[in-house]
């Protein structure tokens, strides 16, 4: 087991930017109004299990269809790039259909696909191409703790930050995510041609 604080911090920040839990506070508040209650613990555990399971079996799934982690990381860097553009420019390139939200929003759409969605799953395998598994597991755990706290205190956070504060945070994490997407892309290309 080789823990690297720098790798844990980088992986945590990438997942935090991709999951965008602070930017999703308005969606969470809207879902809470529609369904009446969101089970913070249930949403956090399910999202954490999905992300951790994908960390361990995602590569095997890729091998089954003949794709390397570096190739997946390059493809994932494009997904992260477009997510970053959404955050920075305030546009929506992909919109999930939330008209058929179930009475328990804790599992769908919060745990999946809002938290453990295409962006975060892609990020998990992209990180696996660069960092050791134990560092990524800790990064997932850190983000699940933050997720739980944010879900529990979403109303208070919204009042504290206000709409402008949430917009500013989205843009800042969008720029960070954009830089990380470029780094993942260049590392993936170097690994393919090395």
């Amino acid at each position: 087991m080789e823990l690297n604080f720098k790798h844990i911090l980088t992986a945590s920040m990438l997942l935090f930017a991709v999951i965008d839990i602070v930017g999703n506070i308005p969606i969470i508040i809207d879902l809470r109004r529609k369904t009446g209650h969101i089970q913070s613990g249930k949403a956090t555990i399910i999202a954490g299990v999905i992300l951790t399971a994908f960390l361990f079996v995602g590569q095997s799934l890729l091998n089954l269809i003949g794709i390397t982690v570096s190739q997946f990381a390059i493809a994932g860097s494009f997904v992260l790039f477009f997510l970053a553009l959404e955050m920075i420019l305030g546009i929506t390139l992909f919109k999930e259909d939330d008209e058929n939200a179930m009475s328990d929003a804790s599992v769908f759409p919060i745990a999946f696909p809002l938290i453990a969605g295409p962006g975060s799953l892609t990020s998990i395998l992209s990180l696996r191409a660069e960092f050791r598994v134990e560092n990524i597991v800790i990064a997932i755990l850190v983000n699940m703790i933050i997720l739980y706290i944010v879900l529990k205190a979403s109303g208070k956070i919204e009042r504290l930050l206000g709409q402008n504060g949430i917009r500013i945070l989205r843009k800042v994490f969008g720029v960070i995510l954009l830089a990380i997407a470029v780094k993942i892309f260049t590392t993936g290309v170097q690994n393919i041609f090395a």
Side-chain angles (χ1 to χ4, degrees):
M1 182 181 262
E2 187 180 319
L3 297 180
N4 183 317
F5 181 74
K6 183 180 175 186
H7 290 175
I8 293 168
L9 185 63
T10 302
S12 296
M13 287 192 65
L14 171 64
L15 288 175
F16 186 77
V18 173
I19 291 171
D20 189 26
I21 188 61
V22 175
N24 285 322
I25 286 175
I27 297 169
I28 292 165
I29 290 167
D30 185 53
L31 286 169
R32 185 169 275 148
R33 285 185 196 134
K34 288 179 184 173
T35 62
H37 178 66
I38 291 173
Q39 298 175 7
S40 306
K42 183 177 181 180
T44 303
I45 290 169
I46 291 172
V49 166
I50 292 170
L51 291 172
T52 306
F54 199 76
L55 173 64
F56 290 102
V57 299
Q59 188 169 0
S60 300
L61 290 172
L62 291 180
N63 292 341
L64 191 64
I65 55 177
I67 298 173
T68 66
V69 173
S70 295
Q71 292 166 333
F72 191 80
I74 291 171
S77 71
F78 288 110
V79 173
L80 299 178
F81 177 81
F82 289 118
L83 286 172
L85 286 182
E86 283 186 346
M87 293 168 72
I88 295 167
L89 302 176
I91 58 174
T92 302
L93 299 173
F94 175 77
K95 186 171 187 325
E96 194 67 41
D97 180 22
D98 61 352
E99 290 179 11
N100 298 321
M102 295 167 58
S103 60
D104 184 9
S106 305
V107 177
F108 181 84
I110 291 181
F112 181 83
L114 198 62
I115 306 305
S120 52
L121 294 178
T122 301
S123 301
I124 291 290
L125 285 192
S126 299
L127 288 168
R128 178 137 190 197
E130 288 189 59
F131 304 137
R132 295 180 61 88
V133 171
E134 55 268 21
N135 295 322
I136 301 169
V137 169
I138 292 172
I140 291 170
L141 182 62
V142 166
N143 274 275
M144 292 305 99
I145 291 168
I146 294 169
L147 169 64
Y148 180 77
I149 292 167
V150 169
L151 285 175
K152 276 290 192 194
S154 58
K156 292 177 185 173
I157 291 171
E158 183 192 32
R159 287 190 297 275
L160 180 69
L161 293 176
Q163 290 301 318
N164 288 333
I166 291 171
R167 282 191 203 103
I168 290 167
L169 274 181
R170 278 181 66 94
K171 293 190 186 310
V172 167
F173 279 102
V175 172
I176 292 170
L177 184 59
L178 189 62
I180 293 171
V182 171
K183 181 180 184 292
I184 290 171
F185 177 81
T186 54
T187 303
V189 170
Q190 287 171 354
N191 289 342
I192 288 176
F193 295 109

